[in-house]
Amino acid sequence: MLVAGVDSSTQSTKVLLCQAEDGAIVGQAAAPHPDGTECDPERWWQALATAGDGLLDQADAIGVAAQQHGMVVVDEAGQVIRPALLWNDVRSAPQAAALIAEMGGPGHWARLTGSVPTASFTVTKLRWLAEHEPDAAARTARVMLPHDWLTWRLGDRATEPATDRGDASGTGYFSPASGRWLPELAEAALGKSAGLPRLAAPSEIVARTADGAALSAGTGDNMGAALGLGLRLGEVVVSIGTSGTAYAVAAEPAADESGAVAGFADATGRFLPLVATINAARVLTVTARMLGTDADGLSRLALAAPPGAQGLVLLPYLDGERSPNRPGASGVLRGMTSANTTQENLARAAVEAVLCSLADAIGNLADCGITARRVILIGGAARSEAVRRIAPAVFGVPVTVPSPAEYVALGAARQAAWALSAAAGSSAAGSAAAGSAAAGSAAAGSGAAEPPSWPLAGTAEYTAEPTPQVREQYASLRDATAGWA
């Protein structure tokens, strides 16, 4: 059997077609999304149709993973009311602060939802909608996340939309600890009640396409990547893509009152404490453009400079920042002298800035009891040799880099295979029930307890002498600019 995994990210839609038994990829395609911090969901649908052409129709099951937090609002007829506000749209920062103050402060939010909401969270975007576009808020009948909406479009839109606890945990109106919606928080933000998707089990088939393919529950992109990597307890992933993230699978929910760690759920029934940054690979792209080179050229320049870039330090908050919560921040370059202002040092400072920002994120996880003994490095920027070689020096632990792959789409495909396995197990249980209730119970569990085991492609290991002085000069600049925005 074949399964398809979809990754609808900020920048593009990727589709993988895989063998259900072992995850071997038999087909793949991609299509771009428009740039920006809001997007008409119809553009995602068009990209999915383009990337999925000739692939989705071969699949026995399809799973969709997508960017977290995006606010998709539809009316009573199921029509999208306005372009979706995406995770990287920080216009709702004042609303985030107001909601925190109105409802008991950061500690109360952390205890209720596992997270202290920032401008990325859906709940803050609902409040922004209510305040700035009251007519649109009044028309809102349902609120969905990007993956919810795409899964709903793939299936029968006459059925109730569904979501999973992983993506739901990024809304700001869901409790990962109890596994239930907190609709009163969504209503307080929007100023009225609105329908929320049905919460599906991790291995559930939530609908079928017109061609009969099963649709799994889907999930958020970070949860999809964790599933694609087969992430185990105690492993820390750092992803450097459009956003930067550091996360780990955990057996217990997190509730960080500082707001640094988002206490998300994962796609398997466990938890996924996560720290996210807005500025990641784009910092490297912008720096390469400034230097008149490309990604490979930036890497070569960075590796030609010494650790610490001879005192040149970059604060990479080019587009505001989420971790730390500085939505109005901008980038800062400090320590310039006539001797150190070289292309090599600027390239090195950019790479070190992104890695130091994510080292801070790893430290935030450590504050919640998750110690990184090694880091699994993924994302587009993990292809950079400079990033690979400098990362262990900045992080202070060995770094494992799996073979480049679309791990979010792979995780979505693995979830789709899990749904098929669970359905087969349930069918076997039903057949066995007439003869033996005990045998039926075992058959039901055999297909649904865990996702299928797919081997991970080859990995490369990187080690380096730690460079604490790089972290120290970065921290000095970070702290010195704390009151700037």
Side-chain angles (χ1 to χ4, degrees):
M1 289 191 291
L2 296 175
V3 292
V6 176
D7 171 15
S8 181
S9 71
T10 316
Q11 297 178 319
S12 64
T13 292
K14 281 85 69 177
V15 176
L16 296 184
L17 188 66
C18 305
Q19 294 179 4
E21 61 270 21
D22 60 5
I25 297 170
V26 299
Q28 58 186 316
H33 294 170
D35 196 19
T37 63
E38 66 175 38
C39 184
D40 182 351
E42 192 65 29
R43 300 295 296 273
W44 302 332
W45 180 250
Q46 293 166 1
L48 177 57
T50 299
D53 186 31
L55 297 177
L56 296 182
D57 59 1
Q58 298 183 60
D60 297 288
I62 301 168
V64 178
Q67 55 185 299
Q68 290 185 249
H69 306 303
M71 180 192 73
V72 181
V73 288
V74 302
D75 62 18
E76 289 287 356
Q79 297 301 308
V80 173
I81 294 170
R82 70 162 335 272
L85 293 183
L86 307 185
W87 64 273
N88 56 349
D89 193 308
V90 297
R91 73 183 75 176
S92 60
Q95 287 72 32
L99 285 167
I100 292 168
E102 287 173 18
M103 300 185 196
H108 185 66
W109 278 93
R111 288 187 292 274
L112 274 181
T113 71
S115 305
V116 180
T118 66
S120 293
F121 281 66
T122 322
V123 69
T124 72
K125 301 178 189 304
L126 291 177
R127 172 60 66 85
W128 182 92
L129 187 71
E131 292 181 357
H132 291 269
E133 298 179 4
D135 291 343
R139 291 174 57 204
T140 297
R142 287 186 182 275
V143 182
M144 288 183 268
L145 296 164
H147 110 257
D148 309 340
W149 186 82
L150 285 166
T151 303
W152 187 53
R153 282 292 302 265
L154 281 167
D156 180 0
R157 282 189 285 173
T159 62
E160 182 182 3
T163 194
D164 88 309
R165 56 192 290 279
D167 213 5
S169 64
T171 60
Y173 41 87
F174 174 83
S175 167
S178 68
R180 65 181 183 88
W181 288 118
L182 302 172
E184 65 276 12
L185 295 182
E187 183 173 348
L190 186 60
K192 57 165 287 187
S193 62
L196 302 176
R198 177 180 66 83
L199 289 164
S203 61
E204 183 178 338
I205 293 174
V206 300
R208 290 188 179 272
T209 68
D211 294 331
L215 292 169
S216 63
T219 193
D221 52 1
N222 293 299
M223 298 79 191
L227 196 56
L229 287 163
L231 192 62
R232 297 186 295 268
L233 293 172
E235 295 178 325
V236 172
V237 171
V238 168
S239 175
I240 312 178
T242 306
S243 64
T245 53
Y247 56 86
V249 170
E252 301 294 331
D256 178 20
E257 296 187 11
S258 77
V261 179
F264 293 151
D266 80 341
T268 71
R270 300 181 180 89
F271 302 91
L272 198 77
L274 179 146
V275 182
T277 68
I278 286 177
N279 299 277
R282 186 170 294 179
V283 175
L284 306 181
T285 302
V286 169
T287 305
R289 186 179 67 208
M290 289 171 57
L291 295 173
T293 187
D294 57 12
D296 290 338
L298 184 80
S299 179
R300 288 191 296 270
L301 288 168
L303 289 172
Q310 293 183 302
L312 199 61
V313 191
L314 174 66
L315 189 72
Y317 304 161
L318 304 187
D319 297 308
E321 188 46 77
R322 166 176 170 172
S323 300
N325 187 24
R326 300 186 192 178
S330 58
V332 178
L333 187 64
R334 187 171 81 168
M336 296 173 65
T337 70
S338 59
N340 70 9
T341 47
T342 66
Q343 289 188 320
E344 290 82 1
N345 281 331
L346 181 55
R348 181 86 184 202
V351 172
E352 289 179 343
V354 172
L355 293 172
C356 283
S357 174
L358 290 163
D360 284 352
I362 295 170
N364 295 142
L365 292 176
D367 292 340
C368 291
I370 298 169
T371 301
R373 294 180 177 84
R374 70 163 180 155
V375 165
I376 301 172
L377 185 65
I378 63 170
R383 293 179 170 89
S384 163
E385 188 65 19
V387 169
R388 292 171 177 232
R389 288 172 56 183
I390 297 171
V394 173
F395 296 159
V397 296
V399 169
T400 297
V401 184
S403 296
E406 299 294 349
Y407 286 105
V408 176
L410 192 65
R414 189 173 178 222
Q415 186 195 63
W418 191 12
L420 287 179
S421 172
S426 296
S427 175
S431 300
S436 170
S441 175
S446 64
E450 295 288 342
S453 179
W454 285 3
L456 189 63
T459 60
E461 305 293 331
Y462 290 80
T463 59
E465 284 295 317
T467 53
Q469 73 276 14
V470 173
R471 292 285 307 279
E472 289 165 6
Q473 67 181 19
Y474 176 86
S476 175
L477 175 58
R478 179 200 63 213
D479 295 346
T481 56
W484 289 18

